Structure formats: structure tokens, C-alpha cells
Amino acid sequence: MEHKLVIYNTLSRKKEQFIPINPPHVGMYVCGPTVYGDAHLGHARPAITFDILFRYLKYLGYKVRYVRNITDVGHLVNDADEGEDKIEKKARLEQLEPMEVVKYYTDRYHYNMKQLNTLPPSIEPTASGHIIEQIEMVKKIIEHGYAYESDGSLYFDVEKYNKKYHYGKLSGRRIEELMKNTRDLAGQEGKKNQFDFALWKKADPKHIMHWPSPWSEGYPGWHLECSAMGAKYLGEEFDIHGGGMDLLFPHHESEIAQANAATGHDPVKYWMHNNMITINGQKMGKSLNNFITLNEFFSGEHPALDRAYPPMVIRFFILQAHYRSTLDFSTDALKAAEKGMKRLFDALEILDELKPQEKSSFDIKKIESDCYAAMNDDLNTPVAIAHLFELARLIHLVNDGKESLSKTDIQYTQQFVSYFLKEILGLTPEHQKEDDKLIDYLMETILEVRKEAKEKKDYATADKIRQELAKLNIQIKDTKDGARWSFD
Ligand code: ZN
């Protein structure tokens, strides 16, 4: 089958055929998390979107180097150049070393990503591990005249840069218009212009994480790490840079500016951005109390959730929308996703038991090529899944004797569906099976404890076990062969 992958490039604002700079090698950089809290739905979407891209590029035969960073220093609370470092703030509140916070949340992030069955990136560099590279990049920017010093801090000169390049070309902003209208520098001491951003910040005495530099004892600006690490591991010009749409401006816009100022050319050929997730139509945010972490989804412990939802349901839910569309979360939508995914895996199981007929009544290769055509069209997973649903419907009809499949076509269908679900979409029922085994074991243990309590006439404990399990929608039935349990 001939594949021609087309992806939407945020920079050109159109779909383009994907042609790597140096085939078969592909360099791909995705902005990773700032590790000061548990990953939530908003972290799952870019991780899954670019996992699909990573898997698909590998399926197409490319040798992909996938770099996803960990931000462990330099990301300030207000996302601009003022305020406390997000990780330091957490460390202060929890009375921990900042690197304890980093280790703790990095481990939890990795575990969540594994639960979602995302493949680990090829390299996962940290900002704090690349201070020297960042300082070197600032030196180049100074050398070319696009940075200025102000009391030990270094700022990027957006106005000067914009005279030669276009600051705003990625996000579609005309910065000169914006500068004319707003000359307000309140609360931004040291900057010549409000759009200027920090390359290096002098640390105030309270700041714990700081390093020596030619300008001051301090720490790098947030946008710098991705420019420095992208260039280090993928080269001064590489193929794909991805991230959430919330990073488009100023983060990615500034990455482009830093690279041009340092090297004289654009750093990235294709920019890709996933859209945001809303919750019941509202933007996610801690203040709205609609901020649900992945661990809360997996355990069901959040007031907005009626029960636990397994990681694969979250993954399927995300894949049912195109990555460039907004995706609205609700428990109804999750339940629909759960049902839909089950329908696909059920069809795969039914295939095992189908009675082969002499001839097939439909063309399985046409359905297969439709699925891949959807993936080639800017990773259109919802359309691919719609074709799989149609196939699942046909498989059920074959089972009912209303359609037919030959022996070879049954085998072909099994191979195709299983490969597409597991390897291309990264959906695996295996996780669930592992979970099921664990649940069975835990329930056996719990029922054993309850049985012993009843034998000792400790009915309070026995009842408490029943009540607590009922909260998890687990019903216990006492039968003459002992207690049985089931999900409600
Ligand atoms: Zn980044």
C-alpha cells in the first residue's frame, strides 16, 4: 500500500505532504510537562497525539528520534517572567528540595504515561541538565545583537528582532500593531518592551535553584530550554515540533525567535499543535475545580466522576476526536467511548469463532485502505475509528449469517484489526486484563477478611467492608458456596 502522509503545519496554516529533511531519519520534539503536580487530562492529549504520530512515522518506516523534555526549572507561576518558579513554590509549600518535587512528579508522570500506553520518547532531557547549552545559546543571541542586559537579567529584544524577522508568524500576530497600542510596562521592570522575554533571570536571594553565568547567578528563561535541547539532540533545523495549542504563544513563538537570532534560520519545518480539552463546555482550570488528574480518573476519586475509568478508555476517548478539534469531556462521553472500544475488541474476539464461507460478501482490503487513508490525512483517528466501527458491524452480521467472509479473509481481518488497534492506535486490552487479574486477587483477599470477621461474629467489620465496596459499585452476594462479588 502506497502511503502519502499529509500533516497540518501551524506555521504555513495548511496541510502539507510530510517530507523529512534527512530521510529516513525524522527528528521530533514535543514540549513535555513542568513537573510540579500530577498529570491531568490536558497532559494526556498531547502525550497521546504525539504518541500516535511517533507510532505512525515508525510504521511508515522512518527512524524517529523523539525528544520530549521535562521542565524542572525556569517555568514561573504566571507563565511570563514574573513570580515564583512553579517547582520552587511547590517545594516551599511541601518543605521539600525542589529536586525531590521533580523526582516525585516525574516518576508519577512516567507511570501515568505507561498506563495510557504511550511509548517512551527516545530522549527525555531536563532543563536543569542543560544549563551550559542554554548559556551558550544566549551568548550567540547577544553576539547577533538581539538581547540586552538589565541588572543581571538578559532579555530578548523583540522590537529589534521584528525589524528583520517576524515575531508572531507562528501565532498569526502582528506585533508592531500590538506594541503601538500597549506601551504599558507596569510590573515588568528592566524590560524595554512588554513583549520582550527573559533569556536569563538573575536569582533573587530567596531563589533556591540558580547557576553561575557571565551575567549573574541565576536561571534560564522558560522558552530557552526547548530551543537549546531541540538544537542539541535534533540539530539546528529539524522536522517536527509539537505541543498543545496553549504553547503556541509566547512559548513556541519565542522558540522560533531565539533560534533565528542565534543561527539566522528557522528551527523547525513542521509545527503541530493539538487542541484543548474542555470540561462540560468550560476551559479546565484549578480555580474552576474541574481539574481532574489522570490518577483521579483511574480511581474514580473526584466529585465530577461517578466511578473509575480505565486508562484505555481515556485514550480511546481522546482518539475519537481529531487532535486539532476541541474535545469536550463529560462522563457520558467517557461511557460512550468505553462502549465503543468494547465493541471493537468484541468484534476481534468474534472473528475467532466465525464460520468461514466460500466467498466474502465485502471487501476487507478496501476497509483497511480506508483506515490508513484516514491516518495519512493528518492523523484522522476519528475517521479511522468510524471505519473500524463499520467493520465491527459487518463482523457481527457475518456471525448472524447475513454477510460472509472466506477463511483467508477472516485471517486477514484478524491480522489487520489487531495490528491497527494495538500498534497504530496503541489500544491494548492487555492492560485491562492485568488490572482484572489484580482486582480478582484483591477481591479474594477482601472477601476472605470479611469471612473471617463474620466467623468471629465481628459483624461491624463485615458490614463496613460491604458498604465501602458498594461505594465502588461492587455488590457482594452471600451464597451457600460463599460470598460472590460483581460490579453493579
Ligand atoms: Zn517547550
Side-chain angles (χ1 to χ4, degrees):
M1 194 174 165
E2 266 297 310
H3 290 290
K4 198 175 102 181
L5 175 63
V6 166
I7 53 178
Y8 181 85
N9 189 347
T10 316
L11 191 58
S12 65
R13 290 172 185 73
K14 57 176 193 265
K15 283 187 189 174
E16 291 176 24
Q17 189 183 345
F18 177 67
I19 302 165
I21 297 165
N22 180 27
H25 301 279
V26 171
M28 163 177 162
Y29 188 100
V30 174
C31 291
T34 303
V35 281
Y36 69 105
D38 272 349
H40 52 75
L41 212 49
H43 291 100
R45 198 168 193 197
I48 289 170
T49 297
F50 294 104
D51 181 59
I52 292 289
L53 178 63
F54 185 34
R55 285 169 184 272
Y56 201 62
L57 289 170
K58 289 206 289 185
Y59 163 76
L60 295 180
Y62 294 117
K63 297 194 183 323
V64 189
R65 183 179 294 164
Y66 172 18
V67 180
R68 185 179 66 205
N69 65 306
I70 294 280
T71 298
D72 59 355
V73 67
H75 195 172
L76 305 185
V77 171
N78 70 354
D79 289 341
D81 298 322
E82 302 296 324
E84 205 171 354
D85 182 289
K86 289 187 178 190
I87 286 154
E88 278 211 15
K89 184 181 174 190
K90 185 77 179 175
R92 180 172 54 74
L93 294 173
E94 309 266 317
Q95 295 186 305
L96 294 168
E97 268 294 314
M99 283 301 145
E100 280 183 284
V101 173
V102 167
K103 173 81 168 87
Y104 180 78
Y105 287 110
T106 302
D107 285 351
R108 287 170 75 89
Y109 178 75
H110 286 156
Y111 186 65
N112 284 159
M113 291 305 113
K114 197 168 174 237
Q115 287 175 302
L116 290 172
N117 199 29
T118 63
L119 302 173
S122 330
I123 304 176
E124 198 172 41
T126 61
S128 69
H130 297 75
I131 300 292
I132 291 170
E133 287 82 352
Q134 296 183 72
I135 290 174
E136 288 308 307
M137 189 160 197
V138 176
K139 282 184 187 165
K140 277 192 204 158
I141 296 172
I142 296 173
E143 211 175 286
H144 299 149
Y146 294 107
Y148 58 91
E149 192 177 338
S150 171
D151 186 29
S153 291
L154 259 292
Y155 293 99
F156 191 90
D157 192 337
V158 169
E159 192 164 18
K160 179 165 180 196
Y161 173 83
N162 199 52
K163 287 194 176 114
K164 181 166 176 197
Y165 303 94
H166 173 194
Y167 185 80
K169 71 174 178 182
L170 182 68
S171 58
R173 281 169 166 80
R174 306 249 14 127
I175 217 76
E176 50 275 57
E177 301 288 311
L178 294 170
M179 283 194 293
K180 244 185 263 162
N181 298 333
T182 45
R183 282 275 169 192
D184 186 12
L185 285 175
Q188 309 199 23
E189 287 160 62
K191 286 190 195 177
K192 287 201 274 187
N193 191 293
Q194 64 154 336
F195 293 103
D196 294 351
F197 53 88
L199 296 166
W200 186 263
K201 287 280 280 181
K202 181 181 168 181
D204 67 45
K206 286 194 306 249
H207 213 95
I208 310 168
M209 291 188 285
H210 50 81
W211 291 263
S213 81
W215 318 290
S216 62
E217 187 75 19
Y219 55 95
W222 174 38
H223 312 310
L224 195 59
E225 59 173 290
C226 293
S227 287
M229 298 189 293
K232 172 164 176 147
Y233 295 112
L234 301 173
E236 284 184 359
E237 194 194 0
F238 59 89
D239 298 297
I240 301 169
H241 193 314
M245 242 167 56
D246 52 336
L247 296 176
L248 201 64
F249 189 90
H251 187 55
H252 292 160
E253 197 72 74
S254 303
E255 276 188 47
I256 292 179
Q258 289 167 155
N260 273 303
T263 68
H265 59 78
D266 267 359
V268 173
K269 194 171 176 192
Y270 305 93
W271 284 89
M272 292 177 76
H273 293 91
N274 64 275
N275 213 319
M276 299 289 102
I277 293 183
T278 54
I279 293 192
N280 298 317
Q282 275 186 310
K283 197 173 176 278
M284 277 196 300
K286 267 185 178 156
S287 55
L288 293 170
N289 199 27
N290 63 2
F291 210 75
I292 310 174
T293 68
L294 293 173
N295 290 327
E296 287 165 341
F297 275 107
F298 304 159
S299 69
E301 281 164 19
H302 188 281
L305 298 172
D306 55 345
R307 62 174 167 88
Y309 291 90
M312 278 307 105
V313 173
I314 303 291
R315 185 173 177 110
F316 191 73
F317 167 69
I318 286 173
L319 294 180
Q320 273 192 300
H322 187 251
Y323 74 91
R324 284 192 291 116
S325 315
T326 54
L327 173 58
D328 191 45
F329 159 83
S330 66
T331 49
D332 284 347
L334 274 190
K335 286 195 177 80
E338 189 165 39
K339 252 194 197 156
M341 188 174 65
K342 187 169 179 302
R343 195 140 49 97
L344 297 183
F345 280 105
D346 283 352
L348 193 56
E349 269 179 32
I350 290 174
L351 275 169
D352 277 337
E353 295 146 23
L354 287 185
K355 255 208 270 153
Q357 303 296 319
E358 205 148 308
K359 266 185 165 173
S360 299
S361 60
F362 58 92
D363 186 355
I364 176 63
K365 289 195 173 153
K366 166 80 170 67
I367 298 174
E368 181 190 35
S369 79
D370 286 346
C371 285
Y372 283 104
M375 293 303 290
N376 288 330
D377 181 14
D378 195 25
L379 308 174
N380 203 329
T381 53
V383 168
I385 288 169
H387 290 302
L388 291 176
F389 278 144
E390 171 58 14
L391 177 58
R393 194 182 68 87
L394 289 166
I395 290 169
H396 278 282
L397 288 176
V398 174
N399 199 32
D400 296 343
K402 288 171 188 154
E403 296 276 351
S404 56
L405 273 176
S406 68
K407 192 172 176 208
T408 18
D409 277 352
I410 290 177
Q411 282 168 353
Y412 193 89
T413 310
Q414 274 172 325
Q415 277 171 10
F416 154 60
V417 176
S418 151
Y419 185 82
F420 201 88
L421 285 178
K422 293 172 190 173
E423 303 301 327
I424 302 286
L425 299 180
L427 294 165
T428 155
E430 250 58 64
H431 286 272
Q432 241 169 312
K433 279 186 190 146
E434 279 306 307
D435 285 351
D436 287 349
K437 267 190 248 160
L438 181 66
I439 289 170
D440 282 342
Y441 176 74
L442 288 174
M443 284 306 300
E444 242 174 71
T445 313
I446 292 168
L447 292 181
E448 192 57 39
V449 172
R450 181 169 169 270
K451 190 176 150 209
E452 282 168 19
K454 281 176 91 175
E455 280 165 4
K456 284 187 236 154
K457 301 212 184 315
D458 178 4
Y459 296 113
T461 302
D463 284 345
K464 183 148 200 287
I465 290 174
R466 177 197 287 278
Q467 285 157 9
E468 289 300 316
L469 290 174
K471 284 186 199 163
L472 301 170
N473 292 331
I474 296 171
Q475 289 289 336
I476 299 182
K477 246 196 198 137
D478 288 304
T479 70
K480 58 179 187 318
D481 309 318
R484 292 272 166 79
W485 70 274
S486 64
F487 282 111
D488 223 348

